[in-house]
Amino acid sequence: MANDIPTKATLTPFDRPNSYVGRNLSRPGARRAVAGRGTYTDDVVLPRMLHGACVRSPYAHAKIVRIDTTAARKAPGVALVMTGAELAKRCTAPWMGTLKVFEGMKSAPQYPMAVDRACWQGEPVVFIAARTRAEAEDAAELVEVAWEELPVVAEKKTALDPKTPVLHASLGDNLAFRKLIDTGDVEAAFKAADHVIEETFEFGRHTAVSLEPRSMIADWNPANERLAVYISNQVPHMMQYLFSRTLGVPEHNVRVVSHDVGGSFGMKIHSYGDEVAACAASMMLGRPVKFIADRLESFLTDIHARENTVRAKIGFNKDGTITAFDIDDLSGIGAYSQYPRTSVFEANQILNITAGPYKHPNYRARATVVYMNKVPTSQYRAVGHPIGITVAEALVDRAAETLGMDPVEIRRRNVMEDNSYPRLTGSGIKVLDLSHQACLEKLVRLMDYDALRAEQALLRNKGIWRGIGIAAFIKGTAPGPQGLYGAGGAPIAAQDACTIKLEPSGNVICAVGVSEQGQGVDTVMQQIAATGLGVPFESVRVISGDTETTPYGGGTYASRATAIGGEATYQAARKLRAEILVIAGALLQSDPKVLDIRNGVVVDAANGTLRIPLSEIGRIGHFQLGELPNDVQPTLSVTHRYRLLDLPYIFTNGIHGAYVEVDVDTGFIRHLKHWVVEDCGRIINPQLADEQVRGGAVQGLGGALYEHCIYDENAQLQNGTLADYIIPMAVEMPDIVVDHVQTPTGQSELGAKGAGESGTGAAPGVIMGAVNDALRPFGARVTIQPMTPEVVLQALGKL
Amino acid sequence: MKAPKFSYVRAESVDHALALLDQHGDEARILAGGQSLMPTLNMRLSRPQLLIDINRLDALKGIALQGDRVRIGALARHVEVLNSPVVAKNLPLIAEAMPHVAHVAVRNRGTFGGSVALADPAAEMPACALALGATFVVQSSKGRREIAADSYFKGLYETARAVNEILVEALIPVEKPGTVSVFLELARRHGDFAMAGLACHARIDKGVIAEARLVYFASEVRPTLATRAIAAIKGKPWNDATRDAALAALADDLDPMTNLHGSAAMKLHLQRVLTRRAIDQAVARARAA
């Protein structure tokens, strides 16, 4: 069992009295945001700044016959009108969204703006810089593009049919990638199984909808040939590489700054052509150019995700033992694979994680990823997990139903045992330190499961149809060098780093490569640094989100900040602590081994007697070095880098529960209550971890219930506003009860695993399970997301 | 998402606004709460040359009981209607519908008159006004005229108000003792535009439906009085046979639009569900009264 309550035997350095690990400290950033003193990118105003707007393709697929920009160039306030062809000339080479770890993957070269052909509605075609955004939009209307419409690939299911047009002739067909995982002998297992059930699931394309849209200012200084980019982003160093490589500016002359970021969710880790265009415009004009995507542009051009169809089979025996899973995924991505992370991760993760909690020895999973004339899909919070988890948990529920077994009981019989690690999942992933059994039992207690079942039965007699869902999951977090980006050739750091410095005042500056998007990364790093060093929380200031002032890092994505960046920070703090103790030892003529730092003061480790405050170490270490012996040369600045050693990811686990009520006349679903028990290892700030889980769950529920990028047969987006693309709001969301099992990872001293996506992955699956549980008396079943009233009514045969 | 250029005039009086309307005709738009107009401008779906801001015209404000009618000035904000004791006492249907109108921020700016003038098919107030047999007063430089709600709503965003007229007020008969009303709508999220909705006003004597007005909205291009369904229930007790007849008749009364929110078939289904629920509730309310 995991160490829920530390006993004397399991006390760690993090249980020290002046440890900040495991404590709810409020985010200093929250106060700033609430006071209206945040600095979001649009708050930044530079002298002589211009504003950008784009002419975008109104068609999903069309040839650009010619572009007449004469009138636009003459429009009031216009400084620059740049076509895609003009931008392409300034680019070193087109992007190619492939990674060599994805064997056989194909994509077509892509320029930041369409050159002679647009391949999705919304693809940028012309960039305009003007005095105001309104003037830029006025000028955009004056650009005349002669289009010749081309046949559109709008449907993934027919994308590979011989009669479907091929999007990129050089690729030969519309296939981006195929993958097969085949372990054990699935066919034999199905033959031997007492039961085999097959079902097909549909997932609707949706997108991130960050409160702050993509926002940036490019500021080229022709005097020193340096490019500064202020951008709402998660990965400053990757963006530095991207702008440098695309526009041919040496990397050390590109500075990327991400101030406050108003949500990102994986959407802000990609290349976007309009952002490169703004940089090029600034370079051409020698003036700062701001580009803020408006909401319509966000819906049209932010990466989308999860347009999938999955056919899946489960084999199981009368006693509830699951023997095999077989899944076949069809992913419809966009017109290109998004550079540099690709658009095949979703499919790849579905194959990796589906049925990941279970012990079945036979697993076969296929993915077919196809191109279509739509905006590219790519990594969005919990990549692939919502799909894989929904599919597997729905089949496990079907198995339970077939056997008349309780959904909890069938999971109890099939999850991997907590004492059985390390072991491999059916997909061949090595997993360590998981706690499926502990999480399951904790969830059952937390939900008061038996009482809920009793209530459900009672209410059914009154014509009230409630359902209970259970969904277990594994989640890949904190990718390491064995993962896919760096190994696949992408310029994305798998390690992360912290530079920690003792200032003359005795205060501490902690610069980290991971970045903050409002979730509290900076606070968590501050807690870790203060703990590692032994100083008060308030004496540490964290700097992040600036390539000029932080050590090279991967930024924040894939639930990596605390697990990777946190360990780098902890070890950096420990190294600085050791150096401070050497200095203190020299000054105090003590053995550093008998000294400790507590609450910002060097003390005798044995009895806590105060010896010398860090302000004295800082003063002497910077200003009065003559007091030190010649062989002690303080650096008072330490950089530590950390990476996972032998794993592609730190896998985590957890389980969700949901209680819903379905109005079987209207098809409306009321989500009554949601529970999550998850294991993200050692928790640094429980409140922030809980809120990550809650926010993540809401985002997952959004995709399952409401969110859908609806395209017509010409691949035209039908709902590009927040009135038509609906997202979950507080009123519709239930209370989300969060609890944890803490099994620290053995991969780091800190023991933290990722938490940011544990709410998202299983939320769609658990609510679909709950809805189907409610519909069971009617023999109805929903297998389509989002589960709109129409989907539910169709399942009930009422339409 | 920035509006194209337009001119703006803040009207000093109703006559001033009307003179501007005469001068600019269809090139001008009246700016009241702006909750529909401003997004339309910002998305460049509409490009009027002139906005005539009527927000400071006191003559168009206020909510008051006038004899057996409630006058709601065109500029009354949704929030004022929501909080009005006059409305709560005399127009329970509108009081019941009001919390469904959008969200707090929209209700603080949006106006009753704007909702009626725009005639969005999913708007609640047009349906309620029609159910209660309201009269709309419009004014041009030539004078005022009254238009019965029954002949006001013509089609999708189409009303009997002429280009040179301003909607100045609605006169809504108070709900008489012995009558009941029920408002129901189905929206994906609270405050969203509804997929289906029903405003019902009826007199039910000892379980028999003596009179009823059933107005359906959201599914139709305009708020629609369901004359056949009404005929099917009028003078009848509310039982299975009456219900089945009413629900069958609805197919002829309604012509639901298929759109992003659902198919025509689903909307007809939902309107039938609402019909059953609304009349069940009306009967229960009549019994309780």
Side-chain angles (χ1 to χ4, degrees), chain A residues 76 133-134 137-138 141 294-296 663 665-666 668 705-706 710 718-719 721-729 731-732 787-790 793 798-799, chain B residues 1-5 42-44 47 103 185-193 195 259-270 273-274 276-277:
Chain A
R133 169 80 185 204
E137 288 188 23
D138 288 345
E141 289 187 333
D294 65 29
R295 190 55 67 186
L296 180 58
D663 181 333
D665 291 329
T666 63
F668 275 54
L705 292 171
Y706 302 114
I710 302 170
Q718 301 296 293
N719 55 340
T721 73
L722 283 168
D724 292 325
Y725 179 103
I726 56 178
I727 57 172
M729 307 285 269
V731 172
E732 283 72 30
M787 296 181 284
T788 62
E790 189 143 26
L793 289 171
K798 297 203 174 182
L799 296 181
Chain B
M1 234 182 251
K2 302 287 180 199
K5 278 186 184 149
N42 285 343
M43 297 183 79
R44 300 191 175 216
R47 348 179 130 244
H103 308 274
E185 73 169 40
L186 290 167
R188 291 296 303 284
R189 300 171 306 177
H190 188 88
D192 278 350
F193 286 119
M195 300 191 293
N259 58 20
L260 290 178
H261 303 298
S263 64
M266 178 182 73
K267 288 177 182 175
L268 180 60
H269 168 82
L270 293 179
V273 171
L274 292 186
R276 181 164 55 71
R277 290 181 179 178

Side-chain angles (χ1 to χ4, degrees), chain A residues 371-572:
Chain A
Y371 289 111
M372 295 188 292
N373 289 111
K374 294 183 186 174
V375 66
T377 61
S378 201
Q379 284 75 314
Y380 164 50
R381 200 172 193 173
V383 189
H385 291 67
I387 297 162
I389 295 165
T390 296
V391 167
E393 296 305 299
L395 289 180
V396 172
D397 283 344
R398 288 270 325 254
E401 181 182 32
T402 306
L403 298 172
M405 188 178 280
D406 190 279
V408 166
E409 185 54 32
I410 195 166
R411 287 174 172 83
R412 210 173 254 150
R413 292 184 190 196
N414 285 284
V415 293
M416 293 177 180
E417 294 86 355
D418 291 355
N419 61 6
S420 66
Y421 303 100
R423 64 186 292 168
L424 298 180
T425 65
S427 62
I429 291 171
K430 186 177 172 188
V431 285
L432 297 157
D433 312 318
L434 301 186
S435 56
H436 290 296
Q437 292 175 314
C439 286
L440 174 62
E441 297 312 327
K442 200 165 195 173
L443 179 79
V444 167
R445 289 197 300 276
L446 203 60
M447 293 174 79
D448 202 353
Y449 182 79
D450 293 339
L452 276 190
R453 283 282 175 214
E455 182 177 86
Q456 176 190 35
L458 206 66
L459 289 173
R460 274 184 186 171
N461 298 329
K462 297 181 184 173
I464 294 170
W465 309 100
R466 290 192 174 176
I468 300 168
I470 304 283
F473 70 90
I474 60 169
K475 172 75 190 75
T477 76
Q482 312 284 320
L484 300 165
Y485 290 136
I492 296 165
Q495 53 84 34
D496 227 293
C498 169
T499 298
I500 190 166
K501 297 185 279 190
L502 185 75
E503 298 288 283
S505 62
N507 292 320
V508 177
I509 296 289
C510 177
V512 293
V514 293
S515 59
E516 162 81 42
Q517 291 86 42
Q519 74 278 65
V521 167
D522 286 357
T523 305
V524 164
M525 296 305 136
Q526 195 174 344
Q527 288 181 242
I528 292 169
T531 303
L533 200 51
V535 301
F537 177 72
E538 298 74 20
S539 67
V540 179
R541 190 159 73 78
V542 173
I543 296 171
S544 65
D546 185 347
T547 57
E548 204 96 317
T549 56
T550 61
Y552 205 97
T556 296
Y557 62 89
S559 302
R560 73 187 292 279
T562 304
I564 304 293
E567 179 68 6
T569 299
Y570 184 66
Q571 295 302 340

